[in-house]
Amino acid sequence: MRDPYTVLGVTKGDSADDIKKAYRRLAKQHHPDLKPGHPGNEERFKEISAAYALLSDPVKRARYDRGEVDASGNERHAGFGGRSAHGARSRAHAPGGGAGAADEGAGAWGDDWFSDLFGGRKRPGAGAGASGGAKARGTDIAYSVTVPFLEAANGTKRRISLSNGKSIDVAIPPGTENEQKLRLKGQGLNGLGGAPAGDAIVEVHVEPHPHFTRQDGDIHVEVPITLNEAVLGATIRVPTVSGPVAVKVPPGSNTGSTLRLRGKGVVSQKTKAAGDQYVKLKVVLPDPPDAELVQFMEKWSKTRSYDVRRKAGLE
């Protein structure tokens, strides 16, 4: 057998953790159940397992480094013809006994090492006496789509091309949030040994809107109103995610006054109830200034001025 350090691609100065990482990496590449039909994988895996069995045992590794045993774990003492003092040839207890069948490995190492190779699954056939190929759920595949704000709020569809070349329409449900992930069952990679396929995970990116902002299920928007609408009151058209609606502005409304439109937000996917829309008013003066308005305010302010900053605690 070759030098076990060479087989695993490590050096004598490497730690036990380095050796374990090297073994697991190589085992995933060459295990015959993970890579069926690859010529030479079985023998290569046996060699890797035997090397790891020797180097993962601190006592055996130390004896090998001192030259007391060879790469197969056999005694080097003279007078015993390559046999141990007990008259029996030593074996490296790799999964399956070093040169033995790799599928006996769980008996020597337990299922944990094999579980790592299969993403947390037990060794194929463990506990059931099966000798068939590996069974492992297929890998999930990630996709990404971008949708406008209003389409995410109201629901839409997007077509994506899967890794197998097939195209499908993905339903973007109403109220979808930015970076929300949608799971499409069975649309990932095929599983091993008849196990279920993985899923397609579609991450939705929602474009910002020039006027609307979202907070949970509620929509917020700032709407400008004229001076006369603010002073006298009016009915104005206000945009919502589902289309414009008529809204009454109460007389005497100020910049910052907020109107609540019940049920005009987005639908919660948990409760299926729509949030509200909050309309923040902003009083805007004529531009350019109106001469008559200026004259009126000059006359009005002489007898009816009022202190807004003192009332707000700014003076």
Side-chain angles (χ1 to χ4, degrees), residues 29-43 133-134 192:
Q29 293 175 6
H30 298 286
H31 195 284
D33 284 338
L34 287 173
K35 298 290 181 67
H38 287 233
N41 261 358
E42 184 171 352
E43 291 304 317
L192 288 174

Side-chain angles (χ1 to χ4, degrees), residues 111-146:
D111 280 333
D112 288 345
W113 73 275
F114 209 109
S115 176
D116 287 341
L117 302 187
F118 286 90
R121 296 169 179 79
K122 291 292 186 180
R123 175 176 59 92
S131 59
K135 285 191 176 183
R137 179 183 175 276
T139 302
D140 294 342
I141 302 294
Y143 299 89
S144 176
V145 297
T146 300

